[in-house]
Amino acid sequence: MRAGSPRTLREMNDRAAIEALLRNGPLTRAELEAAIGLSKPATAQLLTRLEQENLVGKAGERAGGGRGPRAQLWAVNGGLAHVAAVDLTPQVADFVVADVAGAVLAEYRVQLPVAEDADVVGSFGQALRRVAKAAGLQLDDLANVVIGAQGAFDPRTGLLSSAPHIPGWLGFNVPKRLSDELGVTVKIENDVNLVAVEEMTVGNAQDVDDFVLVWLSEGVGGAVVIGRRLLRGATGGGGEIDWMRVPDAATVDTGDRWPQAGARFGNLVDSAAITRLAKAHGISADSGWDAVTQARRGAHQGFLDDLARRVASGVASLVAVADPQLILLCGETSRAGGDEFAAVVAEKLHELVLPRTPVGVASVQGNAVRAGALQSALATAREDVFGVVTPTLLGPRRSAGELAPSPTE
């Protein structure tokens, strides 16, 4: 193996140090030394060099044990770049602005118009300016903005689809229009894909290369991760599991009459379908998660078994093709079922496929869509500022010239 040049090794060490500081937050010299495996003199020289380049700076002190001296803390210079992330739903748009180190500077929640004739771009820009101002910034101070939306995004055209709940955002090249009118780079991503990003970053998929995320809530969604990268597909439809055709494995008659080709997976396990299944089992519920909660409290195992059979029937197709290391259930219905329901799904799944793929529940709390959008925005900014590449969070970059024009442009 040929040794690298001094400059190459220095750059590698610098990136390793910055990655450690971004991952762990402020560290002492000794802690950084242990994290990146350099000697004490080499780490001291590295910190001096990065401080001179304004990439890192002193960040207070950490108290030592007993009466010993306090140790100097070092941190990445978060002010080198700023990003914004948004969870866009018909009910509320949830904004956050952070510096490149990940420190949250401002948050803002507002209901934006989403009707077909609404000025969605203007309203979005107004809200973004407000949260940027609250963070002490202008729009052009933002390195990039990532939006999470309930729908499929086609990177070739910039169009959203499968999003009838936000009709005002359909029919135009969303990232191009927003980027052009706001003067800041804007990207849009499927909301469940962003939940997968957050789960890879801080959740139960941190140490997993290949996994599938199944979102069970009012509607149904999914994300497929292969080799620590999101599978987006040629048209952005990767992971749209609600369109899979599967048989109804329930043991009771819910009154539904599915096509001969099978039911849409989304029509079997969305909230409305689960409440009908619950009713057939003698449970009156207002939502899918309410039905699951009642079933667990009342020991309605027949209902939980039938629901698990439906979920497993869809997941089995994914396991047969992708053979992932892990299936993670998320969304309100999955949270209501918890580990107990995940275990039942695993049992039914293992009756259908050979791999003994574990089934668990996603662990991220709070607004995982916004959190995943923030992680994605930070990954891009950190690559641009520090040269730190995070393949877990970055999909293939496409230049503006690679995007086909929108039908309305």
Side-chain angles (χ1 to χ4, degrees), residues 118-148:
D119 179 15
V120 296
V121 174
S123 300
F124 181 88
Q126 197 172 40
L128 185 61
R129 287 185 183 89
R130 175 166 177 169
V131 70
K133 184 178 180 180
L137 305 170
Q138 302 294 323
L139 280 189
D140 56 10
D141 292 322
L142 298 175
N144 69 86
V145 180
V146 174
I147 304 170

Side-chain angles (χ1 to χ4, degrees), residues 36 57 84 105 125 176 178 210 218 245 292 308 326 348-349 390:
I36 62 179
L105 304 179
K176 186 176 188 304
L178 287 172
D210 310 314
E218 188 67 37
R245 293 289 176 174
V292 172
L326 178 66
K348 305 305 180 186
L349 174 65
T390 313

Side-chain angles (χ1 to χ4, degrees), residues 186-200:
V186 178
K187 299 178 182 179
I188 193 162
E189 180 63 90
N190 171 264
D191 57 345
V192 184
N193 279 350
L194 293 174
V195 176
V197 165
E198 181 68 359
E199 198 67 29
M200 280 190 280

Side-chain angles (χ1 to χ4, degrees), residues 214-281:
V214 179
W215 178 276
L216 303 174
S217 185
E218 188 67 37
V220 178
V224 179
V225 173
I226 303 295
R228 302 293 290 175
R229 282 187 177 270
L230 285 164
L231 179 66
R232 289 184 170 84
T235 64
E240 290 295 321
I241 62 174
D242 61 321
W243 283 93
M244 293 190 305
R245 293 289 176 174
V246 297
D248 184 1
T251 60
V252 294
D253 184 4
T254 61
D256 296 300
R257 296 294 176 261
W258 308 118
Q260 186 175 2
R264 252 182 62 185
F265 182 58
N267 289 342
L268 282 173
V269 293
D270 64 9
S271 181
I274 293 174
T275 57
R276 292 195 299 272
L277 181 63
K279 183 178 180 180
H281 279 277

